[in-house]
Amino acid sequence: MIDVLQPEGWAQPIGYANGVSARGKLIFIAGQIGWNEQCVFESDDLVTQIRQTLKNIVAVAGAGGAGPEHIVSMTWFLLDRKEYSSRAKEIGVVYREVMGRQFPAMTAVQISGLIEDRAKVEIQAFAVVPD
């Protein structure tokens, strides 16, 4: 069972949940980046890398018996918050394409760099498959 936690009187968040509670098998998904299953970047475009990163998260979750609906938390590490903000609508379309209308607890932070030089985003995720 996965429940969204929304304190009374708080404004409803758009595209994420303030909190989530869940019970079941935990799946910890290491930071994924926008390269394909062969560790090859097919694009340097942020939105394209986000699509691939989310696909990678869904693939790892699937290996553990989870789907996008079981993702309860995501942390996004981005190189350029201004590019992220200016392309938010495109990112939303890609997000819904891959994840559906599942909005886990999320945090997004701008960082100065990632280990892979071509990576523009890295996303760590956690999933819970209900008992």
Side-chain angles (χ1 to χ4, degrees), residues 1-45:
M1 183 74 135
I2 298 172
D3 296 312
V4 173
L5 306 176
Q6 178 66 18
E8 188 175 327
W10 282 32
Q12 185 69 37
I14 298 172
Y16 67 95
N18 285 308
V20 175
S21 68
R23 175 174 289 156
K25 177 175 83 170
L26 303 176
I27 298 173
F28 302 89
I29 302 167
Q32 298 296 306
I33 58 176
W35 59 20
N36 65 25
E37 60 278 355
Q38 300 303 314
C39 302
V40 174
F41 286 97
E42 296 176 2
S43 175
D44 290 319
D45 176 69

Side-chain angles (χ1 to χ4, degrees), residues 60-125:
V60 174
E69 70 276 16
H70 299 115
I71 303 291
V72 296
S73 179
M74 300 174 101
T75 303
W76 295 49
F77 301 95
L78 299 144
L79 294 182
D80 187 341
R81 70 178 175 84
K82 289 182 181 179
E83 181 180 13
Y84 173 82
S85 295
S86 71
R87 300 189 71 193
K89 286 186 180 183
E90 294 171 83
I91 292 167
V93 168
V94 166
Y95 182 90
R96 288 185 300 278
E97 171 191 311
V98 178
M99 302 295 294
R101 298 201 60 79
Q102 309 301 320
F103 302 110
M106 285 195 240
T107 299
V109 295
Q110 178 176 300
I111 58 172
S112 63
L114 292 163
I115 298 299
E116 294 297 328
D117 288 336
R118 288 183 65 188
K120 292 191 168 196
V121 61
E122 183 167 334
I123 304 173
Q124 180 182 33

